[in-house]
Amino acid sequence: MTDLESLAELFDLYRQFYGQSSDIKQAYAFLEARFNHADSEIFVTEHNHQLVGFVQLYPIFSSVRMQRLWLLNDLFVRKEFRGNGRSKSLILAAQEHAKETKACGLLLETATDNFIGNQLYPAMGFELQSESNFYFLKL
């Protein structure tokens, strides 16, 4: 909670990266709700005691496997701190958390034009799932 203001700034930059308008107040409220309801896990990376990146995980469950999964929903590192392993460190923290919570895996989605992510994720052991279809119902 002590880092919530700094995290909200990062979260706002993340949303802007995906074409959303800046709204730090709403970003703060959204993250505060995640903390208050304990419905996500967030790991951060710092430089000189300043937050420069984060990964946010949401718990989901696999009925077929009868186990927890973690949805790696958000991964962001400030532009000036990219390319030096911070994203990899955040993914490793997510993997470790998944193992500690006895989850059966991590799940993520990224845009097809996210060239960096689409190179990073397979390099970190993620496998592109071609045997299933992903559908979305916009409400």
Side-chain angles (χ1 to χ4, degrees):
M1 289 297 285
T2 58
D3 291 326
L4 191 52
E5 193 170 314
S6 296
L7 185 57
E9 290 175 21
L10 276 178
F11 189 71
D12 191 60
L13 290 172
Y14 165 75
R15 293 183 65 255
Q16 289 177 57
F17 178 81
Y18 281 102
Q20 301 299 308
S21 299
S22 178
D23 190 341
I24 292 179
K25 183 178 177 182
Q26 186 61 31
Y28 185 96
F30 180 83
L31 291 172
E32 183 178 44
R34 301 296 64 78
F35 283 118
N36 288 339
H37 296 289
D39 55 13
S40 78
E41 296 288 336
I42 299 176
F43 298 91
V44 298
T45 182
E46 299 178 331
H47 178 76
N48 292 332
H49 307 289
Q50 175 191 6
L51 298 187
V52 298
F54 74 97
V55 64
Q56 182 164 215
L57 307 172
Y58 292 102
I60 59 175
F61 296 89
S62 170
S63 298
V64 172
R65 293 178 186 96
M66 294 187 298
Q67 285 183 276
R68 174 189 304 271
L69 283 161
W70 287 98
L71 173 63
L72 192 160
N73 201 71
D74 311 312
L75 175 65
F76 181 77
V77 174
R78 284 184 182 271
K79 185 180 259 185
E80 60 270 26
F81 293 96
R82 294 178 189 158
N84 61 10
R86 291 182 186 277
S87 292
K88 289 180 181 179
S89 295
L90 289 166
I91 291 171
L92 288 172
Q95 288 176 338
E96 187 59 33
H97 181 71
K99 289 176 185 175
E100 288 173 0
T101 59
K102 299 188 183 352
C104 62
L106 287 169
L107 176 69
L108 67 84
E109 171 194 5
T110 194
T112 55
D113 65 353
N114 180 353
F115 301 112
I116 294 172
N118 285 307
Q119 292 175 1
L120 173 64
Y121 301 130
M124 296 294 298
F126 288 84
E127 296 178 6
L128 183 60
Q129 299 295 297
S130 59
E131 67 274 354
S132 60
N133 295 326
F134 178 83
Y135 293 95
F136 179 75
L137 175 63
K138 187 174 181 177
L139 303 175

